[in-house]
Amino acid sequence: MSDDSKLLEEYLKSGKIKKASELVLGNEEALTLLLSFLHSKDSKMKLAAVMALGEALKRMPDIMRLRILKRTLDDLIALALENDDRVPIYALRAIKALITGLPLDPESFVKLGHALKDLVKARRNEIVLLEIPPILENVRITFPDPRVHDVIARLLRSKNPRLRAMGLRLLLNITAYTGDPSLLKTAFSEVRDMITGEDIPLTDFALNLLLEISHYPLREEFIDDVTGVLTLVKNLALKGKPEVRDKARIVAEKLEDAISRYYKNRPEEARRKIQELLINERFYEAIDLALAVGDTYVLSWLAQELERMEKERLRINERVLSGPKYPSPPPEAEAQKSLQFPHISQFGRKKTGREKLMDHIGKSEQIPKMPDEETKKELEKAITSGKTSELTELALKKPEVIFELERKLEEGDKFEKMDALWALSKLAEKLDETNAFILKPAVGPLMEIASSKHRWMRFRAVRTLATIVPKAPYGDEIVGRFLEWYLSGDEEKVVPSLEFFSYYFQKTWDEKTVKVVLSRLLEYLEKEGTRFDALLTLDALVGSAPVEKISLLKPFVEKLKEIKKTASPDEQKLAIRILENIASKSKALVAH
């Protein structure tokens, strides 16, 4: 036995797992010995070996894992089925590290599928079963095979909801979505039973599946299934168990976004679907669908229909997911309204804030700060019609409507806030550089909503602000404010700032701002709470970067490769896309 082999055995016996894992990474003989210890009759040595192997696999290059995959997977599957819970936990973790990023041949897929099924059916300790979902998320196949489809079909036919969830996860893994509605129809119909019971891990697993498929475009063939699932998810968000409430709220918002995109410019079709739901007495589904569509006309019509059907007790407001609280602002917050944004010298302008607005206004007639009743009615009419042209024409003719939109954001109920956000987003899109200055009064309330916990409102606010920036004379102030949030390190400020920059950099390569953002982006890619939004920002940066500037992103390549192997499925997909986009501009950056 060589010195390294003796050292490995010593490390394992003394519980020095990290040192053992580091030793085997560069030593073929030590790795072979470590794998042999998986069969040890000494339970402590076996446990130490599987722990060290799991740590080593996390850092092992793909080509090295591929070489040992088949024989190692068989050994780890055998360990995962042992009765001592400690060994199966680490064996399952090692399996996840082994297969991440590597497709399995059909034979290995079938073996792993049967093993995981047996673990679930044996009703093992929940701590063991919690290690299964991360494995399922990473299972891929080298090529389609009847044996693979047979395993999945059997799982989907099972009476055990956890096994059906496994089957659905594997089906989504091996099937590329090509627009065929049958795949998503199966997914949305199967997932319903998984989110209505008391099984919290199963519900969490199903919510993750929904989060993934909510990105796909909806089709008429399964819109009914989506509507039903949305109501079930909102029930969880509004009154479900605390463990799943936050994730359910995120999933509900994603489903609402998907439904909104589907019915965009088709309010009459939405109204017919809602009418069908009302006829079938699926009242909460009708309300949730109307809220998702977000059309003022549809919501107003639904309220009248519910009243006509004597269902007034079914209040639409009660189905709106909780959003930011707007208590009366303290005196210092009121004072802040008249102050300029904090100054960052590289980004500031000589003249900012309401002074700039009033200078522009002063060139024509003095405009009252608050609109009269007639103007308010005109604004309501423009919003209700949903016609952007009418809204834009009114704002140019009577800029004081912006103060009414500001009031709605600060003092209005949820519907008024949603109306104001919609109106401001459309004005930000339509107004050009000569008249975007009129939106200035709304910037403060938009910034306030941008820091809130209501994701839909926050997204709409940051997207609107990002649209305003290139057009408005006070655009640098907005960027400066978000940079301050970004540099603060406070996650509650960092996340909305990343959301802002992910929109801002889609159409703009602002090198001064880019360099500031890049200065801490690696740090935010490290943190789980900011990683996804940091990836979206990096994706936007790669897309807008000129070819000659793409080298600025070189420090992020290795981190992206690490995320591609170890992060959540959504983050892995983003990392892969970003690496591909970098390679399209400079293959040399990602070649090593």
Side-chain angles (χ1 to χ4, degrees):
M1 184 181 289
S2 69
D3 291 341
D4 283 341
S5 297
K6 291 178 181 177
L7 189 59
L8 172 65
E9 189 169 357
E10 181 184 324
Y11 284 155
L12 293 175
K13 286 180 177 178
S14 59
K16 296 179 180 178
I17 303 302
K18 185 176 181 182
K19 287 185 177 293
S21 68
E22 290 171 349
L23 179 61
V24 303
L25 280 173
N27 189 311
E28 184 69 28
E29 183 183 349
L31 176 60
T32 301
L33 181 62
L34 178 65
L35 294 176
S36 72
F37 283 134
L38 297 178
H39 303 277
S40 175
K41 293 182 180 179
D42 182 334
S43 59
K44 291 184 178 179
M45 181 64 82
K46 184 192 297 184
L47 177 61
V50 74
M51 290 171 69
L53 178 61
E55 291 300 313
L57 288 169
K58 291 177 186 176
R59 300 166 57 192
M60 197 175 286
D62 291 359
I63 190 68
M64 191 173 178
R65 284 188 293 120
L66 185 61
R67 187 162 49 83
I68 66 169
L69 189 151
K70 199 169 182 65
R71 61 183 173 127
T72 307
L73 181 62
D74 288 347
D75 289 341
L76 290 173
I77 286 174
L79 293 175
L81 295 172
E82 289 196 359
N83 291 324
D84 179 358
D85 284 343
R86 293 177 302 166
V87 172
I89 286 171
Y90 288 101
L92 290 169
R93 291 177 185 176
I95 290 173
K96 188 259 183 182
L98 175 66
I99 68 171
T100 296
L102 300 180
L104 301 179
D105 61 69
E107 183 182 352
S108 297
F109 178 97
V110 171
K111 284 182 181 178
L112 180 59
H114 283 312
L116 297 179
K117 179 193 68 175
D118 290 343
L119 280 171
V120 173
K121 290 178 71 174
R123 299 181 182 275
R124 294 291 295 271
N125 189 318
E126 193 65 52
I127 297 174
V128 176
L129 299 181
L130 286 173
E131 301 297 332
I132 293 177
I135 296 174
L136 294 172
E137 289 171 3
N138 288 281
V139 174
R140 301 293 185 274
I141 55 170
T142 51
F143 55 88
D145 186 277
R147 290 171 293 174
V148 169
H149 292 288
D150 181 62
V151 168
I152 294 173
R154 288 173 181 270
L155 289 170
L156 288 173
R157 289 196 300 269
S158 171
K159 293 181 180 180
N160 185 323
R162 287 197 175 191
L163 293 181
R164 290 205 305 278
M166 279 179 54
L168 185 55
R169 172 73 272 173
L170 293 173
L171 177 66
L172 291 170
N173 285 358
I174 71 163
T175 311
Y177 180 64
T178 59
D180 179 1
S182 62
L183 174 64
L184 292 184
K185 183 169 179 60
T186 298
F188 279 109
S189 61
E190 287 288 344
V191 86
R192 296 181 71 132
D193 291 341
M194 302 173 196
I195 55 177
T196 54
E198 297 296 314
D199 189 337
I200 297 301
L202 177 63
T203 300
D204 184 75
F205 186 80
L207 289 172
N208 286 333
L209 290 176
L210 287 171
L211 200 57
E212 180 178 327
I213 63 178
S214 65
H215 297 291
Y216 294 122
L218 303 185
R219 297 278 295 272
E220 183 181 356
E221 290 87 344
F222 55 85
I223 192 69
D224 204 49
D225 296 292
V226 177
T227 302
V229 167
L230 172 62
T231 292
L232 294 175
V233 173
K234 286 184 76 170
N235 290 342
L236 290 174
L238 292 166
K239 53 190 177 184
K241 296 285 181 66
E243 300 95 315
V244 296
R245 208 174 288 162
D246 287 341
K247 184 175 287 187
R249 183 175 287 110
I250 294 170
V251 173
E253 288 166 359
K254 292 287 187 184
L255 291 173
E256 286 177 335
D257 287 344
I259 290 171
S260 177
R261 289 193 299 271
Y262 177 76
Y263 282 115
K264 187 179 181 181
N265 302 323
R266 293 189 283 182
E268 279 303 316
E269 186 177 332
R271 191 186 66 78
R272 286 194 296 272
K273 173 56 71 176
I274 293 167
Q275 181 74 67
E276 178 187 320
L277 293 170
L278 291 174
I279 291 170
N280 291 307
E281 298 188 352
R282 293 160 64 183
F283 299 111
Y284 285 115
E285 290 181 33
I287 292 171
D288 292 335
L289 178 57
L291 286 169
V293 172
D295 185 272
T296 309
Y297 157 70
V298 170
L299 285 166
S300 177
W301 168 82
L302 175 60
Q304 293 171 10
E305 284 295 295
L306 290 173
E307 184 177 353
R308 185 181 64 79
M309 299 174 76
E310 298 182 351
K311 297 291 180 182
E312 299 95 326
R313 64 181 181 81
L314 301 173
R315 296 177 60 83
I316 294 175
N317 283 0
E318 292 173 0
R319 299 298 294 175
V320 177
L321 294 177
S322 60
K325 304 295 183 186
Y326 292 90
S328 299
E332 59 270 25
E334 285 289 342
Q336 184 65 34
K337 291 184 181 179
S338 62
L339 299 176
Q340 298 177 7
F341 287 134
H343 180 65
I344 292 183
S345 58
Q346 308 98 301
F347 304 94
R349 292 181 184 269
K350 291 184 179 179
K351 211 168 194 179
T352 57
R354 196 169 289 268
E355 297 174 73
K356 180 75 72 172
L357 175 63
M358 289 330 229
D359 279 357
H360 284 278
I361 291 173
K363 292 176 183 177
S364 56
E365 296 296 324
Q366 185 66 28
I367 295 175
K369 283 194 173 183
M370 291 305 296
D372 56 27
E373 289 303 316
E374 182 183 349
T375 303
K376 289 181 183 179
K377 289 179 181 178
E378 289 181 72
L379 176 61
E380 290 304 317
K381 181 182 176 184
I383 291 174
T384 303
S385 73
K387 294 180 180 177
T388 306
S389 57
E390 283 186 20
L391 179 66
T392 307
E393 185 180 341
L394 177 63
L396 291 173
K397 180 182 172 184
K398 296 183 176 182
E400 63 266 32
V401 298
I402 305 303
F403 292 107
E404 174 62 8
L405 293 173
E406 176 190 22
R407 184 200 66 76
K408 285 175 179 286
L409 288 181
E410 292 182 329
E411 303 170 9
D413 60 24
K414 290 185 178 76
F415 288 108
E416 286 187 301
K417 284 183 173 69
M418 288 192 287
D419 282 347
L421 285 168
W422 175 83
L424 288 166
S425 70
K426 295 304 177 185
L427 289 173
E429 292 171 7
K430 295 300 179 182
L431 296 176
D432 59 28
E433 293 179 0
T434 62
N435 45 44
F437 71 89
I438 68 172
L439 296 174
K440 174 64 176 174
V443 169
L446 285 171
M447 291 296 300
E448 196 171 327
I449 291 175
S451 64
S452 77
K453 293 182 179 180
H454 192 297
R455 287 177 66 87
W456 183 89
M457 288 188 177
R458 190 174 75 230
F459 286 161
R460 182 61 71 96
V462 297
R463 188 163 58 230
T464 300
L465 288 164
T467 306
I468 291 172
V469 166
K471 301 178 178 183
Y474 47 84
D476 286 346
E477 294 177 49
I478 298 173
V479 175
R481 184 65 174 273
F482 277 110
L483 280 173
E484 290 194 345
W485 289 7
Y486 181 81
L487 296 172
S488 71
D490 178 357
E491 192 170 306
E492 290 188 0
K493 296 292 185 184
V494 171
V495 168
S497 69
L498 286 167
E499 290 168 349
F500 169 81
F501 288 120
S502 71
Y503 290 118
Y504 176 63
F505 289 128
Q506 283 179 13
K507 297 181 180 178
T508 305
W509 178 260
D510 169 6
E511 194 158 333
K512 282 184 180 179
T513 306
V514 167
K515 288 180 178 178
V516 177
V517 169
L518 292 180
S519 69
R520 294 195 70 171
L521 197 58
L522 268 176
E523 175 187 340
Y524 297 141
L525 286 169
E526 289 281 355
K527 296 179 180 178
E528 189 174 340
T530 55
R531 185 182 300 130
F532 186 76
D533 294 297
L535 284 168
L536 288 175
T537 297
L538 186 55
D539 189 31
L541 282 166
V542 172
S544 63
V547 173
E548 63 273 15
K549 297 291 183 180
I550 197 69
S551 60
L552 287 172
L553 304 175
K554 183 177 180 181
F556 299 91
V557 171
E558 289 306 313
K559 186 62 185 174
L560 287 167
K561 289 180 179 179
E562 179 186 327
I563 291 171
K564 184 180 76 170
K565 295 179 182 178
T566 61
S568 70
D570 283 343
E571 290 167 349
Q572 287 179 14
K573 289 173 188 174
L574 254 180
I576 292 168
R577 185 174 79 194
I578 295 168
L579 286 168
E580 289 173 349
N581 290 340
I582 292 175
S584 71
K585 295 187 176 183
S586 174
K587 290 183 179 178
L589 283 186
V590 297
H592 301 293

Short mmCIF file of all heavy atoms in Angstrom, two decimals, residues 18-60:
data_model
loop_
_atom_site.label_atom_id
_atom_site.label_comp_id
_atom_site.label_asym_id
_atom_site.label_seq_id
_atom_site.Cartn_x
_atom_site.Cartn_y
_atom_site.Cartn_z
N LYS A 18 -12.92 16.17 4.64
CA LYS A 18 -12.48 17.13 3.62
C LYS A 18 -11.10 16.78 3.09
O LYS A 18 -10.86 16.82 1.87
CB LYS A 18 -12.48 18.54 4.20
CG LYS A 18 -12.15 19.61 3.19
CD LYS A 18 -12.27 21.01 3.78
CE LYS A 18 -11.95 22.06 2.72
NZ LYS A 18 -12.02 23.43 3.28
N LYS A 19 -10.17 16.41 3.99
CA LYS A 19 -8.82 16.06 3.55
C LYS A 19 -8.84 14.80 2.70
O LYS A 19 -8.11 14.70 1.69
CB LYS A 19 -7.91 15.88 4.77
CG LYS A 19 -7.53 17.18 5.47
CD LYS A 19 -6.53 16.92 6.58
CE LYS A 19 -6.08 18.22 7.24
NZ LYS A 19 -5.29 19.04 6.30
N ALA A 20 -9.69 13.85 3.06
CA ALA A 20 -9.80 12.62 2.28
C ALA A 20 -10.32 12.91 0.87
O ALA A 20 -9.81 12.37 -0.13
CB ALA A 20 -10.73 11.63 2.98
N SER A 21 -11.32 13.80 0.78
CA SER A 21 -11.89 14.13 -0.54
C SER A 21 -10.88 14.86 -1.41
O SER A 21 -10.82 14.64 -2.62
CB SER A 21 -13.16 14.97 -0.36
OG SER A 21 -12.85 16.25 0.16
N GLU A 22 -10.09 15.73 -0.81
CA GLU A 22 -9.06 16.46 -1.57
C GLU A 22 -7.98 15.51 -2.08
O GLU A 22 -7.46 15.67 -3.18
CB GLU A 22 -8.44 17.54 -0.69
CG GLU A 22 -9.39 18.70 -0.39
CD GLU A 22 -8.85 19.66 0.65
OE1 GLU A 22 -7.82 19.32 1.29
OE2 GLU A 22 -9.44 20.75 0.84
N LEU A 23 -7.63 14.51 -1.26
CA LEU A 23 -6.58 13.57 -1.64
C LEU A 23 -6.96 12.76 -2.87
O LEU A 23 -6.14 12.56 -3.78
CB LEU A 23 -6.29 12.63 -0.46
CG LEU A 23 -5.22 11.55 -0.68
CD1 LEU A 23 -3.86 12.18 -0.99
CD2 LEU A 23 -5.12 10.65 0.55
N VAL A 24 -8.22 12.31 -2.95
CA VAL A 24 -8.60 11.41 -4.06
C VAL A 24 -8.79 12.16 -5.38
O VAL A 24 -8.79 11.53 -6.44
CB VAL A 24 -9.89 10.62 -3.73
CG1 VAL A 24 -9.71 9.81 -2.46
CG2 VAL A 24 -11.10 11.53 -3.61
N LEU A 25 -8.94 13.48 -5.33
CA LEU A 25 -9.20 14.22 -6.57
C LEU A 25 -8.03 14.14 -7.55
O LEU A 25 -8.22 14.10 -8.76
CB LEU A 25 -9.50 15.69 -6.25
CG LEU A 25 -10.92 15.98 -5.78
CD1 LEU A 25 -11.06 17.43 -5.32
CD2 LEU A 25 -11.93 15.68 -6.88
N GLY A 26 -6.82 14.09 -7.01
CA GLY A 26 -5.66 14.05 -7.93
C GLY A 26 -4.90 12.75 -7.86
O GLY A 26 -3.74 12.68 -8.29
N ASN A 27 -5.52 11.72 -7.31
CA ASN A 27 -4.78 10.47 -7.09
C ASN A 27 -5.67 9.28 -7.45
O ASN A 27 -6.60 8.94 -6.73
CB ASN A 27 -4.34 10.40 -5.62
CG ASN A 27 -3.39 9.25 -5.36
OD1 ASN A 27 -3.64 8.12 -5.75
ND2 ASN A 27 -2.29 9.56 -4.68
N GLU A 28 -5.35 8.65 -8.57
CA GLU A 28 -6.16 7.54 -9.08
C GLU A 28 -6.16 6.35 -8.11
O GLU A 28 -7.20 5.72 -7.87
CB GLU A 28 -5.63 7.10 -10.44
CG GLU A 28 -6.46 6.01 -11.12
CD GLU A 28 -7.82 6.52 -11.58
OE1 GLU A 28 -7.95 7.72 -11.87
OE2 GLU A 28 -8.75 5.69 -11.64
N GLU A 29 -5.01 6.07 -7.54
CA GLU A 29 -4.91 4.93 -6.61
C GLU A 29 -5.75 5.16 -5.36
O GLU A 29 -6.47 4.27 -4.90
CB GLU A 29 -3.46 4.71 -6.20
CG GLU A 29 -3.27 3.50 -5.29
CD GLU A 29 -1.83 3.33 -4.81
OE1 GLU A 29 -0.94 4.02 -5.36
OE2 GLU A 29 -1.61 2.51 -3.90
N ALA A 30 -5.71 6.41 -4.86
CA ALA A 30 -6.48 6.74 -3.66
C ALA A 30 -7.98 6.68 -3.96
O ALA A 30 -8.78 6.24 -3.12
CB ALA A 30 -6.10 8.13 -3.16
N LEU A 31 -8.37 7.11 -5.16
CA LEU A 31 -9.79 7.06 -5.54
C LEU A 31 -10.28 5.62 -5.61
O LEU A 31 -11.38 5.29 -5.12
CB LEU A 31 -9.99 7.75 -6.90
CG LEU A 31 -11.42 7.70 -7.47
CD1 LEU A 31 -12.41 8.37 -6.52
CD2 LEU A 31 -11.47 8.37 -8.85
N THR A 32 -9.47 4.75 -6.20
CA THR A 32 -9.85 3.33 -6.29
C THR A 32 -10.01 2.72 -4.90
O THR A 32 -10.95 1.96 -4.63
CB THR A 32 -8.77 2.55 -7.08
OG1 THR A 32 -8.65 3.12 -8.39
CG2 THR A 32 -9.15 1.08 -7.21
N LEU A 33 -9.09 3.09 -3.99
CA LEU A 33 -9.18 2.58 -2.63
C LEU A 33 -10.43 3.11 -1.93
O LEU A 33 -11.13 2.36 -1.22
CB LEU A 33 -7.93 2.99 -1.84
CG LEU A 33 -7.86 2.48 -0.38
CD1 LEU A 33 -7.84 0.96 -0.33
CD2 LEU A 33 -6.62 3.05 0.32
N LEU A 34 -10.73 4.40 -2.15
CA LEU A 34 -11.93 5.00 -1.54
C LEU A 34 -13.19 4.26 -1.99
O LEU A 34 -14.07 3.95 -1.17
CB LEU A 34 -12.03 6.48 -1.90
CG LEU A 34 -13.27 7.22 -1.38
CD1 LEU A 34 -13.25 7.27 0.15
CD2 LEU A 34 -13.36 8.63 -1.96
N LEU A 35 -13.26 3.94 -3.28
CA LEU A 35 -14.42 3.22 -3.79
C LEU A 35 -14.53 1.82 -3.18
O LEU A 35 -15.63 1.30 -2.95
CB LEU A 35 -14.35 3.13 -5.32
CG LEU A 35 -14.47 4.47 -6.08
CD1 LEU A 35 -14.28 4.27 -7.58
CD2 LEU A 35 -15.81 5.13 -5.81
N SER A 36 -13.37 1.21 -2.90
CA SER A 36 -13.41 -0.13 -2.29
C SER A 36 -13.92 -0.07 -0.85
O SER A 36 -14.55 -1.02 -0.37
CB SER A 36 -12.00 -0.76 -2.31
OG SER A 36 -11.14 -0.12 -1.37
N PHE A 37 -13.68 1.07 -0.18
CA PHE A 37 -14.16 1.22 1.20
C PHE A 37 -15.69 1.32 1.27
O PHE A 37 -16.27 1.19 2.36
CB PHE A 37 -13.53 2.44 1.86
CG PHE A 37 -12.11 2.23 2.31
CD1 PHE A 37 -11.14 3.19 2.05
CD2 PHE A 37 -11.75 1.08 2.99
CE1 PHE A 37 -9.83 3.00 2.46
CE2 PHE A 37 -10.44 0.88 3.42
CZ PHE A 37 -9.47 1.83 3.14
N LEU A 38 -16.35 1.55 0.13
CA LEU A 38 -17.82 1.58 0.12
C LEU A 38 -18.39 0.21 0.46
O LEU A 38 -19.56 0.09 0.84
CB LEU A 38 -18.34 2.03 -1.25
CG LEU A 38 -17.98 3.46 -1.70
CD1 LEU A 38 -18.53 3.72 -3.10
CD2 LEU A 38 -18.50 4.49 -0.72
N HIS A 39 -17.58 -0.83 0.32
CA HIS A 39 -18.02 -2.20 0.62
C HIS A 39 -17.52 -2.67 1.98
O HIS A 39 -17.67 -3.85 2.32
CB HIS A 39 -17.50 -3.16 -0.46
CG HIS A 39 -17.93 -2.78 -1.85
ND1 HIS A 39 -19.15 -3.12 -2.37
CD2 HIS A 39 -17.29 -2.08 -2.82
CE1 HIS A 39 -19.25 -2.65 -3.61
NE2 HIS A 39 -18.14 -2.01 -3.90
N SER A 40 -16.92 -1.78 2.75
CA SER A 40 -16.33 -2.15 4.03
C SER A 40 -17.40 -2.71 4.99
O SER A 40 -18.54 -2.24 5.02
CB SER A 40 -15.65 -0.94 4.66
OG SER A 40 -15.18 -1.27 5.95
N LYS A 41 -17.00 -3.69 5.80
CA LYS A 41 -17.89 -4.23 6.81
C LYS A 41 -17.91 -3.36 8.06
O LYS A 41 -18.77 -3.52 8.93
CB LYS A 41 -17.48 -5.66 7.16
CG LYS A 41 -17.68 -6.64 6.00
CD LYS A 41 -17.30 -8.06 6.39
CE LYS A 41 -17.52 -9.01 5.22
NZ LYS A 41 -17.13 -10.41 5.57
N ASP A 42 -16.93 -2.46 8.14
CA ASP A 42 -16.86 -1.50 9.25
C ASP A 42 -17.83 -0.36 8.92
O ASP A 42 -17.59 0.41 7.99
CB ASP A 42 -15.43 -0.99 9.40
CG ASP A 42 -15.28 -0.03 10.57
OD1 ASP A 42 -16.28 0.61 10.96
OD2 ASP A 42 -14.15 0.12 11.08
N SER A 43 -18.92 -0.26 9.66
CA SER A 43 -19.95 0.74 9.33
C SER A 43 -19.42 2.18 9.38
O SER A 43 -19.82 3.02 8.58
CB SER A 43 -21.15 0.59 10.28
OG SER A 43 -20.73 0.76 11.63
N LYS A 44 -18.51 2.44 10.34
CA LYS A 44 -17.95 3.80 10.44
C LYS A 44 -17.07 4.12 9.23
O LYS A 44 -17.11 5.23 8.70
CB LYS A 44 -17.15 3.95 11.74
CG LYS A 44 -18.01 3.95 12.99
CD LYS A 44 -17.16 4.18 14.23
CE LYS A 44 -18.04 4.22 15.49
NZ LYS A 44 -17.22 4.42 16.71
N MET A 45 -16.28 3.15 8.80
CA MET A 45 -15.42 3.36 7.63
C MET A 45 -16.27 3.54 6.36
O MET A 45 -15.98 4.38 5.51
CB MET A 45 -14.47 2.16 7.47
CG MET A 45 -13.51 2.30 6.28
SD MET A 45 -12.36 3.68 6.47
CE MET A 45 -11.11 2.91 7.52
N LYS A 46 -17.32 2.74 6.25
CA LYS A 46 -18.22 2.85 5.09
C LYS A 46 -18.87 4.24 5.03
O LYS A 46 -18.93 4.87 3.98
CB LYS A 46 -19.29 1.78 5.15
CG LYS A 46 -20.22 1.74 3.93
CD LYS A 46 -21.42 0.86 4.18
CE LYS A 46 -21.05 -0.58 4.41
NZ LYS A 46 -22.25 -1.44 4.56
N LEU A 47 -19.35 4.70 6.18
CA LEU A 47 -19.99 6.01 6.24
C LEU A 47 -19.00 7.12 5.89
O LEU A 47 -19.31 8.03 5.10
CB LEU A 47 -20.56 6.26 7.64
CG LEU A 47 -21.22 7.63 7.88
CD1 LEU A 47 -22.40 7.83 6.94
CD2 LEU A 47 -21.67 7.77 9.33
N ALA A 48 -17.80 7.04 6.44
CA ALA A 48 -16.77 8.05 6.13
C ALA A 48 -16.43 8.04 4.65
O ALA A 48 -16.22 9.10 4.03
CB ALA A 48 -15.53 7.80 6.98
N ALA A 49 -16.36 6.85 4.05
CA ALA A 49 -16.01 6.73 2.63
C ALA A 49 -17.07 7.37 1.74
O ALA A 49 -16.75 8.10 0.79
CB ALA A 49 -15.83 5.25 2.27
N VAL A 50 -18.34 7.11 2.04
CA VAL A 50 -19.39 7.67 1.19
C VAL A 50 -19.49 9.19 1.38
O VAL A 50 -19.77 9.93 0.43
CB VAL A 50 -20.74 6.97 1.45
CG1 VAL A 50 -21.37 7.38 2.76
CG2 VAL A 50 -21.72 7.26 0.32
N MET A 51 -19.21 9.66 2.58
CA MET A 51 -19.19 11.11 2.81
C MET A 51 -18.05 11.77 2.02
O MET A 51 -18.25 12.81 1.37
CB MET A 51 -19.03 11.41 4.31
CG MET A 51 -20.26 11.05 5.14
SD MET A 51 -19.95 11.16 6.93
CE MET A 51 -19.77 12.93 7.13
N ALA A 52 -16.87 11.17 2.08
CA ALA A 52 -15.71 11.72 1.35
C ALA A 52 -15.94 11.67 -0.15
O ALA A 52 -15.58 12.60 -0.89
CB ALA A 52 -14.45 10.93 1.73
N LEU A 53 -16.53 10.57 -0.63
CA LEU A 53 -16.81 10.45 -2.07
C LEU A 53 -17.77 11.54 -2.52
O LEU A 53 -17.58 12.16 -3.58
CB LEU A 53 -17.38 9.07 -2.38
CG LEU A 53 -17.77 8.82 -3.84
CD1 LEU A 53 -16.54 8.94 -4.75
CD2 LEU A 53 -18.42 7.45 -4.00
N GLY A 54 -18.81 11.78 -1.73
CA GLY A 54 -19.77 12.83 -2.09
C GLY A 54 -19.11 14.19 -2.21
O GLY A 54 -19.38 14.94 -3.16
N GLU A 55 -18.23 14.52 -1.27
CA GLU A 55 -17.51 15.80 -1.33
C GLU A 55 -16.59 15.87 -2.54
O GLU A 55 -16.49 16.91 -3.20
CB GLU A 55 -16.71 16.01 -0.05
CG GLU A 55 -17.55 16.26 1.19
CD GLU A 55 -18.41 17.50 1.05
OE1 GLU A 55 -17.90 18.54 0.61
OE2 GLU A 55 -19.62 17.42 1.34
N ALA A 56 -15.92 14.76 -2.84
CA ALA A 56 -15.01 14.73 -3.99
C ALA A 56 -15.77 14.89 -5.31
O ALA A 56 -15.33 15.60 -6.23
CB ALA A 56 -14.22 13.43 -3.99
N LEU A 57 -16.91 14.23 -5.41
CA LEU A 57 -17.70 14.28 -6.65
C LEU A 57 -18.18 15.70 -6.96
O LEU A 57 -18.32 16.07 -8.13
CB LEU A 57 -18.90 13.34 -6.55
CG LEU A 57 -18.59 11.84 -6.61
CD1 LEU A 57 -19.81 11.01 -6.22
CD2 LEU A 57 -18.10 11.45 -8.01
N LYS A 58 -18.46 16.48 -5.92
CA LYS A 58 -18.91 17.86 -6.14
C LYS A 58 -17.86 18.68 -6.89
O LYS A 58 -18.20 19.61 -7.62
CB LYS A 58 -19.23 18.54 -4.80
CG LYS A 58 -20.45 18.01 -4.10
CD LYS A 58 -20.63 18.71 -2.74
CE LYS A 58 -21.76 18.09 -1.94
NZ LYS A 58 -21.85 18.72 -0.59
N ARG A 59 -16.59 18.35 -6.68
CA ARG A 59 -15.50 19.13 -7.28
C ARG A 59 -14.81 18.41 -8.43
O ARG A 59 -13.90 18.94 -9.03
CB ARG A 59 -14.47 19.45 -6.18
CG ARG A 59 -15.08 20.25 -5.03
CD ARG A 59 -14.18 20.27 -3.82
NE ARG A 59 -12.86 20.80 -4.12
CZ ARG A 59 -11.81 20.73 -3.31
NH1 ARG A 59 -11.94 20.12 -2.14
NH2 ARG A 59 -10.66 21.25 -3.66
N MET A 60 -15.28 17.23 -8.73
CA MET A 60 -14.62 16.41 -9.76
C MET A 60 -15.01 16.87 -11.16
O MET A 60 -16.18 17.15 -11.42
CB MET A 60 -15.04 14.94 -9.55
CG MET A 60 -14.16 13.93 -10.25
SD MET A 60 -14.67 12.23 -9.81
CE MET A 60 -14.05 12.10 -8.13
#
